[in-house]
Amino acid sequence: MIDPASGLKHLPVKTGPSRDAALSVTSLHLERNGRRIARLPDFEIGAGQSVALLGPSGSGKTTALMAISGIRPPAEGEIHVRGTALWNLDRHRRDRFRGRHIGLVFQSFHLIDAVSVAANIRLAAHCAGMPVDLARMDELLERLAIADLRDCPADRISHGQAQRVAVARALINRPAVVLADEPTSALDDTATAQLVSLLKQSCREEGAGLLIASHDRRILDDVDTVIEMEPAV
Amino acid sequence: MRMIALAFAYLRRRWGQALLSVLVGALGVTAVATCMIGFDSVPEAAERAWGGVDLVVGPKGSALDLVLCCVLHVSAPRGLVSQKAALAAVSNPMVRASAPIALGDNYQGWRIMGTTPAILDVYRAKLAEGEMWTDKLQAVVGAGAARALKLDIGDSFVGSHGLSAGGDVHAQFPYKVVGILQPTGSALDRLILTDIETVRYIHIEQAKIEIAEHGSTDEENVANLPDAATAVVAAYRSPIAAAFLPRQIDATDILSAGSPSLEIARLVGYARPAITAATGLGLLLVVIAAASAATGLTSVMNARTRDLSLLRVLGAGRIEITVVAFAEAGIIAFAALAAGAVLVAGLAAWGGHLLAERTGLLLTPHVSLAQVGALIAGTVCVAFLAGLFPAIRASRSPIEELLQS
């Protein structure tokens, strides 16, 4: 659905969490330092679907990602990932659940410099308590065109290569949804288009939903739908 | 990739600092272990070296000197006694065997000791081959000396004056080897035995030659005391003898008695403060190594907050995060333990060789299971303490900051 006023493609209003949805967010209110700062419209992301969470800097996008990834609790609302109410899990289970079902791509990728590209990806499986599927890792490396970097130390690869490693790490555990926080803020137009295309294509191939939190309007044309941060009421 | 492998990767990345921590730790372990080993091994080596000798009787003077010179054979004699007087002093039903000894010559640094066949009874020694001497200038060689000097039955050699190599050679008085002793593990193994009359004969003849050539002689004492001996060594039949015989001998005007067990115990007593200080120094080194590892780990953990937060975001629990910190401390500690064990083994071999070469004491270093357990337990404690603060810090890594950075 395209908003004629803003020209943005908005998600249809949802009526409740669907068990088939990769991610379902209902009545989400966010707070920082005990003060409500923003709310999110209710939305769902299906497998292979890409959504941009749009808002200016300081509007609470990162706080929203923290709530959706099970890191910091929301003030109010429900978050379901593949039908599981995230905030009903205790901390240990939530950490494990995040590792297994939610892939994260950070603005500066945050690879561990001390180990190789392959070890960075394997760590994501190990931290989530999953067996390391080497064949799958090699397949991801092939698909992301970084197979030749497999044993390369992570601090010796380029920025573009690090992007791809971060995407591979986010996808290794076959997550339900990939959350990307401001992935394009330091990139030029070409690189921005390439990264969003890479994320979108990879998630579609893996059957994962994609939620990109960004203030960068250049990505709008590349995602399926857009939701906007709303001020707290 | 397991957390232990990650800890290894982190250590590889800062290998210089890690190596330094391992080296300091290894030195600490070496110092502590060497003291633990030395504390038992050196007295044991001395006990083996004195063999069956319970008492040594010599000229008036220090009992410790007598034991060091005439039982352990590591120092020079202080004077001479009359063999008759010394033997009379130990003539007692509670004495199992006694023999006079006369020192003064050597062959390539190995002591030639004039004595009587009764010396074998004192040390409970036996001939491996050949026979005891029946005439002057015949020698029976201790097992160690025979092996080192490559002496066999029928071989000849010439002694030289003094107790270390380099003295005037008694070229006119060649010895012939007539017997070789079985190993005893005592100082006897390092001696060349001959009839005490041979020693007197050589020195009296040497005195005559020197008087003829120079009008004087260094062998005056021997010439003036026909039954001169360095000391008499004795073995007790009954340990009760130890209670009064030495005191009785010390009460005379001309003789002193030394008990090897008492004097060695006294010597170890003197050394105990030094050993305790060395053990303390070793412990201090271990603590410094732990502090160095802990400081290094803490500063590294500060720089690694981002990585640890990332691991938590990826699903790792607090326990797994602390494992990384403890694993690094543990790897350093056990590397130090292993390096320390290698250093101790090398030091024991080298020190043992040096001690055997210089004093003849044979070290057989051994550590008990309890000592090994104490060393490992100590290492685990140190590793735990070194990793504790960094681990606490790591477990509290703020994962929100990762998303905000």
Side-chain angles (χ1 to χ4, degrees):
Chain A
M1 185 195 305
I2 297 177
D3 182 349
S6 62
L8 298 179
K9 299 166 274 184
H10 283 286
L11 287 171
V13 175
K14 62 191 279 300
T15 52
S18 156
R19 289 197 65 81
D20 297 332
L23 173 68
S24 171
V25 173
T26 312
S27 309
L28 195 67
H29 290 258
L30 305 164
E31 64 178 10
R32 192 188 294 149
N33 301 325
R35 194 170 61 84
R36 293 206 174 193
I37 55 165
R39 60 180 292 273
L40 256 68
D42 294 354
F43 67 95
E44 282 186 351
I45 302 177
Q49 196 177 7
S50 58
V51 175
L53 174 61
L54 208 62
S57 294
S59 61
K61 295 186 301 297
T62 299
T63 308
L65 284 193
M66 280 190 218
I68 293 169
S69 58
I71 291 171
R72 185 192 282 175
E76 195 182 317
E78 284 193 16
I79 298 157
H80 288 77
V81 177
R82 277 195 184 140
T84 300
L86 190 60
W87 285 99
N88 285 352
L89 302 172
D90 62 36
R91 195 180 66 192
H92 177 71
R93 286 186 181 179
R94 201 167 55 244
D95 284 345
R96 276 284 192 263
F97 187 87
R98 178 176 56 249
R100 291 180 184 193
H101 300 288
I102 301 173
L104 284 153
V105 177
F106 306 97
Q107 182 180 340
S108 47
F109 313 122
H110 292 320
L111 300 184
I112 293 180
D113 291 342
V115 296
S116 68
V117 163
N120 264 280
I121 298 168
R122 286 202 307 270
L123 260 175
H126 180 73
C127 288
M130 305 270 283
V132 179
D133 185 343
L134 291 177
R136 168 158 175 77
M137 184 182 73
D138 288 339
E139 178 201 324
L140 275 173
L141 291 172
E142 280 288 345
R143 197 188 302 160
L144 292 163
I146 47 172
D148 54 330
L149 300 177
R150 195 179 192 282
D151 300 315
C152 191
D155 59 351
R156 294 202 193 148
I157 59 177
S158 71
H159 187 266
Q161 290 166 333
Q163 279 177 357
R164 289 166 184 272
V165 176
V167 172
R169 184 178 63 190
L171 292 171
I172 186 73
N173 295 331
R174 299 183 195 280
V177 63
V178 172
L179 310 180
D181 187 27
E182 298 281 9
T184 61
S185 61
L187 304 181
D188 60 25
D189 290 352
T190 312
T192 296
Q194 282 174 346
L195 177 63
V196 175
S197 167
L198 175 73
L199 279 168
K200 199 175 148 184
Q201 187 188 339
S202 303
C203 288
R204 187 173 294 151
E205 285 170 357
E206 292 291 325
L210 172 64
L211 177 64
I212 303 176
S214 179
H215 68 280
D216 188 351
R217 302 184 79 86
R218 292 176 299 177
I219 68 170
L220 298 182
D221 291 338
D222 298 320
V223 295
D224 299 330
T225 47
V226 174
I227 54 172
E228 285 184 280
M229 298 295 297
E230 296 174 0
V233 286
Chain B
M1 158 159 269
R2 305 244 163 234
M3 294 305 177
I4 300 282
L6 184 62
F8 266 113
Y10 281 138
L11 284 174
R12 263 203 313 274
R13 199 166 172 82
R14 55 177 193 100
W15 64 269
Q17 195 182 12
L19 188 66
L20 193 66
S21 296
V22 169
L23 277 179
V24 176
L27 286 178
V29 169
T30 304
V32 172
T34 303
C35 290
M36 283 163 91
I37 292 170
F39 206 79
D40 291 335
S41 297
V42 173
E44 276 174 18
E47 194 172 341
R48 264 197 310 279
W50 80 62
V53 177
D54 294 314
L55 182 70
V56 54
V57 180
K60 214 67 184 159
S62 155
L64 180 61
D65 271 351
L66 269 180
V67 170
L68 292 176
C69 160
C70 303
V71 181
L72 299 182
H73 293 279
V74 292
S75 68
R78 296 275 180 258
L80 297 168
V81 287
S82 157
Q83 176 182 324
K84 190 177 164 190
L87 280 175
V90 296
S91 173
N92 188 296
M94 280 185 281
V95 170
R96 178 175 57 80
S98 61
I101 61 170
L103 299 167
D105 289 348
N106 76 91
Y107 172 54
Q108 293 182 14
W110 297 74
R111 289 183 176 200
I112 296 171
M113 186 171 88
T115 185
T116 64
I119 195 79
L120 300 194
D121 297 332
V122 173
Y123 281 92
R124 297 183 192 278
K126 286 182 180 150
L127 280 164
E129 51 184 313
E131 56 187 13
M132 291 303 283
W133 56 82
T134 52
D135 201 356
K136 285 192 179 71
L137 293 170
Q138 291 182 341
V140 171
V141 189
R147 192 171 55 246
L149 295 167
K150 296 186 172 60
L151 287 175
D152 216 334
I153 305 289
D155 289 348
S156 290
F157 63 90
V158 177
S160 53
H161 195 58
L163 295 178
S164 52
D168 293 337
V169 176
H170 297 306
Q172 305 93 321
F173 310 106
Y175 288 91
K176 187 181 177 191
V177 177
V178 295
I180 291 171
L181 296 177
Q182 287 180 4
T184 61
S186 71
L188 200 61
D189 293 353
R190 295 181 289 113
L191 298 174
I192 297 167
L193 308 182
T194 189
D195 187 357
I196 195 166
E197 291 304 332
T198 297
V199 175
R200 289 174 186 146
Y201 165 74
I202 289 174
H203 287 87
I204 288 168
E205 291 303 309
Q206 188 71 27
K208 286 178 186 168
I209 293 167
E210 285 174 9
I211 288 169
E213 287 179 359
H214 314 293
S216 65
T217 178
D218 292 338
E219 308 283 359
E220 211 167 318
N221 287 339
V222 182
N224 292 341
L225 189 61
D227 71 339
T230 306
V232 164
V233 292
Y236 296 143
R237 176 172 285 118
S238 162
I240 298 167
F244 67 92
L245 201 53
R247 200 176 305 165
Q248 207 171 56
I249 292 166
D250 282 334
T252 66
D253 292 335
I254 53 167
L255 299 174
S256 274
S259 161
S261 59
L262 277 178
E263 296 308 321
I264 298 299
R266 193 175 298 169
L267 198 61
V268 170
Y270 294 147
R272 189 159 289 134
I275 294 173
T276 307
T279 309
L281 186 67
L283 287 172
L284 188 67
L285 281 172
V286 170
V287 169
I288 289 172
S292 153
T295 310
L297 278 174
T298 305
S299 64
V300 163
M301 288 297 162
N302 287 340
R304 210 176 286 154
T305 306
R306 191 206 66 168
D307 285 4
L308 297 170
S309 301
L310 175 71
L311 296 180
R312 292 208 52 216
V313 167
L314 292 176
R318 284 176 194 267
I319 291 173
E320 284 159 304
I321 299 296
T322 58
V323 162
V324 179
F326 276 122
E328 280 190 63
I331 291 165
I332 288 175
F334 280 96
L337 188 65
V342 172
L343 275 175
V344 168
L347 205 64
W350 177 72
H353 176 73
L354 207 66
L355 199 67
E357 201 175 78
R358 301 239 170 120
T359 68
L361 295 184
L362 298 174
L363 276 186
T364 48
H366 58 85
V367 281
S368 67
L369 272 178
Q371 285 173 323
V372 172
L375 212 55
I376 291 174
T379 307
V380 169
C381 281
V382 166
F384 179 78
L385 290 175
L388 186 62
F389 184 63
I392 290 171
R393 209 182 160 78
S395 71
R396 292 179 179 165
S397 53
I399 62 178
E400 290 95 337
E401 286 174 14
L402 190 70
L403 282 170
Q404 286 165 342
S405 66

